[in-house]
Amino acid sequence: MPKPAKAPHALSPADYLSKILTARVYDVAIETALQPAKNLSKRLHNTVLLKREDQQSVHSFKLRGAYNKMAQMTPEQLKKGVICASAGNHAQGVALGAHKLGARAVIVMPTTTPALKVDAVRALGGDVVLQGESFSDAYLHALDLQKQQGLVFVHPFDDPDVIAGQGTVAMEILRQHQGRLDAVFVAIGGGGLISGVANYIKAVRPGIKVVGVQMNDSDAMAQSVAAGKRITLADVGLFADGTAVKQVGEETFRIARHLVDEFVVVDTDSVCAAIKDVFTETRCIVEPSGAMAVAAIKQYVARHATKGETYAAILCGANMNFDRLRFVAERAGVGEEREALFAVTIPEERGSFRRFCEVIGALPGAARSVTEFNYRISDAAQAHVFVGLSTHGKGESARIAANFGKHGFEALDLTHDELAMEHIRHMVGGHSVLAKDERLMRFVFPERPGALMKFLSLMAPGWNISLFHYRNQGADYGRILVGLQVPQADDKAFKVFLKTLGYPSVEETQNPVYRMFLQR
């Protein structure tokens, strides 16, 4: 890693306090809101405040440090132009600052950077170069370009002026909330934000905890502090691309090991749940790195069983690719344990499917909805179904599985099974020699209690369900694919059934896709 632009001696919190108080950030940045998270606070029995750095013009805090660094440059340096390496948010800050100051900006970004961030940098006038799979890879290439073109490097985190610019976030938090504040939770990539925040807080209100937050697959700072030296990760996860850094900075490591009180490591599912929490509070969607602090607060409260305390979470970025929302929505239910997944074995006999649904409806506690149901006939004696159920808190999946077993349905709890969540849920089905007289129907069911039971109740006793696929998509209706074994002699009765049911339907028995992949 390149050397940071260091002062002649190690800067103290008092030195950084002075630099933060005089930082030039408000030419491009705004003072963002510190918003109470009312629903989350009520749920956690602690007050949660959201520092809305997602409201900046580039939807991230990064423009603070980038602009403060460039504002300290001489006219000669600005004339040469600037260069940086970034996963996206720092890049936008540098591009915006350079445009404001009339300088050329070359931005080296990993090839894995979301297109949204790449396009945003180009829109701000930055010359984008895509190189490498992580920030560290892009960083090395940026160093080569710096030497070749004589540009001035703007470090994303390991520079006192950048750190000071980021520290203005803490300055605003303490000015906006002068009452009780027990801890500030800060996502960590390279460490620039937490270094600025920790220096300001420890100089002004040292009793407030500074809690660093990292992803479990990109926790270079937490590992470095534990080891007492900077370590380099062999690889980093890319879900939270804004904090995917293999090695933290020298200066940020020095600061963090002395001033950060605690580290919390979060995982992908908990971050997806936190993105949903933030949306519920703000109606805004933050990127994974932007939700890490909220995920950490939830984990911190659960671990320490706190009540009545006040925490601030910095929502550090909101540059999320739209295409990623499907994954986030899918995993948010698991992350907050609002969905449980099971593989259930039921007898392959008429009426067993209905009996199983009745057991689901009679589960103890508050009502639960079926979030997913996948089944394909494959065995003459037993049926294996993949089912998802809404839950109301942690630990329910084991109790539900036990309840299924008590009613004669062997159940395997898949709630935390990565293979099941990522792949198997989409692969249930295939050809079946047992699917004789099968008619494939697409239905639109209303998303309300009793819709499925109405369907099952109206079916003729001699018909059998040979395929069933449903996944709740959050709409007020559900799209369901059903295979029904209906003898040709029952064709008239089947038409009456569809008319009586009254749900919109389309028969797909002659669809070539069905005949290729599901029919034998």
Side-chain angles (χ1 to χ4, degrees):
M1 295 289 282
K3 299 290 184 181
K6 285 188 175 180
H9 61 282
L11 298 177
S12 67
D15 295 325
Y16 270 109
L17 175 62
S18 178
K19 290 179 73 66
I20 292 168
L21 291 172
T22 57
R24 288 183 56 185
V25 301
Y26 297 108
D27 291 348
V28 292
I30 62 169
E31 179 172 314
T32 55
L34 185 65
Q35 175 180 337
K38 296 179 181 178
N39 295 318
L40 192 59
S41 297
K42 184 177 180 180
R43 204 163 87 221
L44 297 181
H45 305 292
N46 291 277
T47 299
V48 179
L49 307 173
L50 306 177
K51 180 58 174 166
R52 299 291 307 280
E53 284 300 288
D54 60 301
Q55 294 180 330
Q56 296 291 357
S57 61
V58 297
H59 307 292
S60 164
F61 73 96
K62 284 283 192 176
L63 79 171
R64 295 174 182 263
Y67 186 80
N68 187 52
K69 171 64 178 177
M70 289 185 284
Q72 315 296 329
M73 292 181 184
T74 64
E76 292 74 23
Q77 289 175 314
L78 289 173
K79 188 176 180 180
K80 291 179 181 178
V82 297
I83 186 170
C84 76
S86 169
N89 291 338
H90 178 64
Q92 292 180 66
V94 171
L96 176 64
H99 178 75
K100 179 81 173 177
L101 295 168
R104 177 191 175 215
V106 177
I107 315 293
V108 185
M109 309 178 80
T111 57
T112 53
T113 303
L116 183 76
K117 296 182 180 181
V118 175
D119 293 342
V121 170
R122 286 177 174 148
L124 291 167
D127 297 336
V128 176
V129 177
L130 296 176
Q131 180 70 33
E133 294 185 355
S134 71
F135 162 76
S136 300
D137 300 329
Y139 205 98
L140 295 174
H141 188 66
L143 286 179
D144 292 337
L145 292 181
Q146 177 198 15
K147 295 174 182 177
Q148 294 170 18
Q149 301 182 28
L151 303 167
V152 179
F153 203 94
V154 181
H155 201 290
F157 48 81
D158 209 20
D159 183 293
D161 290 323
V162 172
I163 291 170
Q166 320 303 27
T168 58
V169 175
M171 180 178 69
E172 292 175 10
I173 290 174
L174 297 194
R175 184 168 61 239
Q176 292 167 317
H177 182 79
Q178 298 179 18
R180 175 174 181 170
L181 185 58
D182 294 279
V184 176
F185 290 75
V186 190
I188 301 176
L193 177 60
I194 198 165
S195 293
V197 167
N199 270 300
Y200 189 85
I201 287 176
K202 294 308 179 182
V204 177
R205 291 182 61 183
I208 297 173
K209 279 188 177 181
V210 177
V211 182
V213 187
Q214 296 211 274
M215 292 295 295
N216 58 354
D217 54 12
S218 302
D219 59 344
M221 183 67 84
Q223 287 196 37
S224 295
V225 170
K229 63 180 181 179
R230 288 195 305 155
I231 59 95
T232 301
L233 300 179
D235 200 5
V236 290
L238 297 177
F239 175 64
D241 54 281
T243 52
V245 175
K246 291 181 179 179
Q247 187 183 50
V248 300
E250 291 183 15
E251 177 69 350
T252 58
F253 169 66
R254 181 188 73 83
I255 294 168
R257 69 184 302 198
H258 290 109
L259 299 183
V260 174
D261 296 284
E262 188 174 338
F263 293 92
V264 175
V265 177
V266 296
D267 62 19
T268 296
D269 289 343
S270 66
V271 170
C272 288
I275 291 172
K276 180 181 176 182
D277 290 324
V278 174
F279 177 79
T280 299
E281 300 290 348
T282 67
R283 298 302 187 268
C284 293
I285 297 172
V286 294
E287 64 186 270
S289 297
M292 284 166 57
V294 172
I297 288 177
K298 293 166 67 178
Q299 190 167 307
Y300 183 91
V301 169
R303 179 186 302 161
H304 298 286
T306 61
K307 285 188 177 182
E309 296 195 342
T310 300
Y311 308 124
I314 299 175
L315 307 185
C316 57
N319 290 295
M320 166 87 89
N321 260 17
F322 184 80
D323 294 344
R324 189 173 284 184
L325 293 177
R326 183 188 312 179
F327 174 83
V328 170
E330 192 78 40
R331 300 298 289 261
V334 176
E336 58 188 5
E337 294 199 30
R338 296 301 176 94
E339 181 185 35
L341 304 178
F342 306 93
V344 183
T345 301
I346 65 177
E348 188 56 85
E349 59 188 35
R350 286 174 173 79
S352 62
F353 182 38
R354 178 175 177 177
R355 187 163 63 87
F356 175 62
C357 291
E358 290 172 344
V359 170
I360 292 175
L363 284 170
R368 293 175 179 81
S369 60
V370 176
T371 59
E372 183 168 2
F373 202 104
N374 292 317
Y375 158 69
R376 178 61 164 147
I377 187 170
S378 60
D379 185 278
Q382 293 182 323
H384 302 291
V385 298
F386 185 101
V387 62
L389 296 175
S390 64
T391 58
H392 308 288
K394 294 181 180 296
E396 282 196 22
S397 62
R399 293 195 295 271
I400 294 172
N403 191 276
F404 285 148
K406 188 173 71 174
H407 286 83
F409 299 113
E410 182 183 345
L412 180 63
D413 187 355
L414 303 176
T415 304
H416 301 288
D417 188 300
E418 196 71 19
L419 176 63
M421 290 188 292
E422 286 286 352
H423 300 290
I424 300 300
R425 72 193 311 169
H426 306 294
M427 299 172 68
V428 177
H431 299 289
S432 176
V433 296
L434 301 177
K436 184 182 177 182
D437 294 327
E438 184 176 62
R439 300 179 72 157
L440 191 71
M441 304 295 300
R442 278 195 295 116
F443 287 97
V444 176
F445 278 28
E447 284 285 8
R448 63 170 179 257
L452 176 59
M453 289 306 297
K454 177 183 178 181
F455 175 87
L456 297 173
S457 298
L458 290 174
M459 276 180 54
W463 302 345
N464 185 51
I465 293 175
S466 53
L467 178 150
F468 199 94
H469 177 264
Y470 161 73
R471 175 64 180 161
N472 186 306
Q473 301 294 340
D476 56 0
Y477 56 86
R479 297 186 182 277
I480 297 178
L481 187 68
V482 183
L484 290 166
Q485 291 178 278
V486 181
Q488 288 186 349
D490 289 355
D491 186 67
K492 186 176 179 180
F494 186 67
K495 290 178 181 177
V496 172
F497 160 72
L498 294 177
K499 185 176 180 179
T500 306
L501 181 65
Y503 297 162
S505 64
V506 174
E507 183 161 3
E508 297 285 11
T509 308
Q510 301 305 316
N511 189 308
V513 175
Y514 161 65
R515 303 182 77 170
M516 180 180 294
F517 291 103
L518 294 172
Q519 192 180 49
R520 178 172 290 184

